[in-house]
Amino acid sequence: MTMHSSSPPARPTRPEAQGRRPGTGVSRGLAVVLGLLATSAASLNAVIQNQAQITVTFLVLLAFFAYSRRFWIIAGVILGLAAALKLSPAFLGLLFLRDRNWRAIGAMALTGGALLLLSVLLAGLEAHRVWLARLDVLDRMSILSMINYSPEMLLYQLQHWLTGAPGKGMGYDSPLWVQLLPKALLLFGLFVIGLRRNLPMPVALLALSTLVALLGPLSWMHYFLLPMMLFPALFLRFEAQRAWALIALGGVILSFPLYVKLRGFQQPLLMSALVPTLYFCALTVALLIPRKT
């Protein structure tokens, strides 16, 4: 059987990569990640609330590190564990499917299925039905929050602003088109990423994790920890100068000081959510647009 995933990304051939000292890329990536962790509102929010997203982010990164080392089954098991803690990592299995890596896909499916069965046996089927019903209610709402980086929430606010209709605080009156458009964009984005097999795995993971965080049922700021940890992948997609510009812009937009400043501007749109949402939307589009050769 021929595997199409697997090998680590080819070494860069751009001019600025030539003559670089060993370890420069690792040091640069580590500096980016530590800088974002130290200054971002998302990381501070996750630590203060002791969010499970911290563990999930670690597991996802560990899974794809194992994948880059060709430990297919271990990668699938770890990603299946992450998906058992939070649903969103299940979407990342698309990257295994993109590579037609059936070992990783099978390991992920078996792990997730086994943990789901164990959960049903321990908590009972009724508890899971209640949880799914609550998830369905949340999915039909447009939650207005300063820490919700959701295009759906912004569409909801924009619709009420343009029509002059008063909106309900939790978005119970969200129009059908506001609910469906993000889902359609998510499906389209998944389709595009599935087709873009030429994207290096770190770049595809950055694009997919950002897409899912933006267009999933909930888009709390701490869900963007994973995309932030993957910002060094921008150097695999863009020239160094542009990559640094995108990272610096993101560092400012996602910083806690700017978040505090923007909290005072909530009408007609929640600026503390609008600015990061637009940044991540633009970043996702930039990652997926084919580059001229």
Side-chain angles (χ1 to χ4, degrees), residues 34-49:
L34 291 178
L36 289 169
L37 283 176
T39 60
S40 72
S43 58
L44 180 62
N45 177 267
V47 170
I48 290 176
Q49 298 185 11

Side-chain angles (χ1 to χ4, degrees), residues 226-273:
L226 177 59
M228 285 166 44
M229 297 302 95
L230 293 166
F231 271 13
L234 293 172
F235 292 102
L236 298 176
R237 181 63 173 157
F238 305 111
E239 299 296 329
Q241 186 175 4
R242 186 178 180 189
W244 276 122
L246 288 170
I247 292 171
L249 180 61
V252 173
I253 288 176
L254 303 174
S255 68
F256 182 73
L258 184 62
Y259 166 74
V260 172
K261 292 287 186 183
L262 293 178
R263 283 194 307 179
F265 303 92
Q266 300 187 37
Q267 295 296 334
L269 302 173
L270 289 171
M271 296 302 295
S272 62

Side-chain angles (χ1 to χ4, degrees), residues 67-213:
Y67 193 77
S68 71
R69 293 296 184 267
R70 304 173 70 90
F71 296 117
W72 316 129
I73 295 177
I74 293 176
V77 168
I78 296 173
L79 193 60
L81 175 59
L85 297 176
K86 292 272 189 179
L87 287 179
S88 55
F91 286 96
L92 304 181
L94 173 67
L95 299 179
F96 296 162
L97 187 62
R98 183 190 72 152
D99 289 348
R100 296 191 177 96
N101 195 321
W102 308 117
R103 292 182 184 180
I105 294 170
M108 178 182 173
L110 288 175
T111 302
L115 291 173
L116 175 61
L117 179 60
L118 180 62
S119 178
V120 171
L121 291 175
L122 292 176
L125 189 59
E126 184 60 29
H128 290 76
R129 288 176 178 169
V130 171
W131 178 79
L132 288 174
R134 291 180 178 176
L135 186 63
D136 181 62
V137 171
L138 288 174
D139 189 46
R140 289 184 279 108
M141 295 167 54
S142 297
I143 299 177
L144 302 184
S145 171
M146 291 184 291
I147 62 170
N148 188 19
Y149 297 170
S150 169
E152 180 179 340
M153 182 195 75
L154 297 177
L155 288 173
Y156 172 83
Q157 278 199 301
L158 187 62
Q159 186 261 347
H160 281 279
W161 178 38
L162 294 177
T163 61
K168 298 180 180 179
M170 292 299 288
Y172 289 107
D173 57 338
S174 182
L176 183 61
W177 72 270
V178 171
Q179 300 177 41
L180 294 181
L181 181 58
K183 295 179 177 62
L185 291 174
L186 176 61
L187 290 175
F188 178 73
L190 294 175
F191 177 74
V192 170
I193 293 173
L195 291 180
R196 298 293 308 280
R197 298 182 62 191
N198 62 321
L199 279 180
M201 179 60 79
V203 177
L205 181 58
L206 171 58
L208 182 55
S209 61
T210 306
L211 184 77
V212 172

